[in-house]
Amino acid sequence: MQQKEELESLLKTCESAKDSVDAFLRSINDYVAVVEELPAIAKPLVRRDLESNTGLSADEWKAFLERLGTRYSSICDAAQRVTGALANGGDDAEVTVATATLNEVSAPLTEGADIAIEQLETMAIYMEGLPEKINMIPEAFLKGDSRDELISSVPGRVERARALKELLEKTKGELSTVAG
C-alpha cells in the first residue's frame, strides 16, 4: 500500500514538473523573441551575457529543458506502468519488470539532477540581476514600455526556475524511495 502512495506522489510530482518545464521553456522562447527584436548591435551582447552568466546559451537552455521534459514524460509513463501492475493484483513478475523499467528511465534524471539543480539556481540568480542590467540598456535600444514589461516579467521567471529546481529535488527523493 505504501508503494502505491509513493507512486501516486511521484506521478503528481512528475505532472507538476512537466508543466513547470513547459512554463520555463516558454520563458526561454519569450527571451529569444525579445532578443530578436533588439537592434543588431545589441543582440550578440545580450546573448553573450546569458551564456557567460549561466553557462548555457538560449538554444542550450531550450535543449536542456526539452530533454528534461522528455525524461519526466518517460518517468511518468513508467511509474504508471508500475501502478498498473500493482493494480492488476500485484503479479510479482509484472511489478518487477515495470519497476526495472522505472529504474532504467529514471537513471538519467537522477544521475544528472544535482547538475540540473545547480544550473537552475544559477539561472535564477542571473535573472534576479536582470532588472539592473535592463535599466543599463540605453533608451535608443530599449524603449520604456518594453523595458517595463521585461522588468515586470523577471520575478515570474525567477519563480519558475526555482519551482523547477524544487521539483527536481523532490523527484530525486521520490525516485530513490520508489525505485531504489
Side-chain angles (χ1 to χ4, degrees), residues 1-175:
M1 189 59 114
Q2 183 178 351
Q3 185 180 18
K4 188 174 181 181
E5 291 170 2
E6 291 168 347
L7 283 164
E8 288 173 6
S9 179
L10 175 63
L11 285 166
K12 286 179 187 174
T13 301
C14 285
E15 289 300 326
S16 293
K18 288 191 315 187
D19 292 343
S20 187
V21 167
D22 289 343
F24 199 69
L25 187 55
R26 283 190 302 275
S27 288
I28 297 297
N29 287 330
D30 291 346
Y31 164 85
V32 169
V34 167
V35 171
E36 289 306 311
E37 296 296 318
L38 293 173
I41 195 166
K43 287 179 193 180
L45 298 172
V46 173
R47 287 180 186 137
R48 269 194 302 264
D49 186 64
L50 173 71
E51 189 170 351
S52 68
N53 284 287
T54 68
L56 299 173
S57 69
D59 287 341
E60 290 168 327
W61 273 105
K62 286 168 51 173
F64 163 76
L65 291 167
E66 288 166 356
R67 277 191 312 275
L68 188 57
T70 298
R71 287 184 178 142
Y72 268 113
S73 291
S74 297
I75 291 168
C76 195
D77 291 345
Q80 287 173 338
R81 284 196 286 289
V82 175
T83 301
L86 289 169
N88 290 339
D91 175 23
D92 286 343
E94 187 180 357
V95 172
T96 300
V97 169
T99 302
T101 301
L102 176 59
N103 286 333
E104 184 179 318
V105 300
S106 64
L109 186 132
T110 54
E111 291 168 3
D114 292 337
I115 293 168
I117 289 165
E118 186 177 309
Q119 287 176 307
L120 288 164
E121 181 60 22
T122 299
M123 176 60 109
I125 291 168
Y126 169 71
M127 287 188 291
E128 286 174 333
L130 278 180
E132 184 178 321
K133 290 180 179 191
I134 292 168
N135 279 324
M136 291 172 34
I137 299 172
E139 181 76 22
F141 293 134
L142 188 62
K143 301 294 179 207
D145 290 346
S146 296
R147 180 185 313 275
D148 294 342
E149 185 179 328
L150 278 173
I151 291 172
S152 69
S153 73
V154 169
R157 294 169 197 248
V158 171
E159 183 179 315
R160 281 189 286 280
R162 291 229 164 92
L164 184 53
K165 176 188 140 195
E166 289 171 13
L167 286 165
L168 265 168
E169 291 168 339
K170 185 175 181 182
T171 303
K172 183 181 172 188
E174 289 177 341
L175 282 168

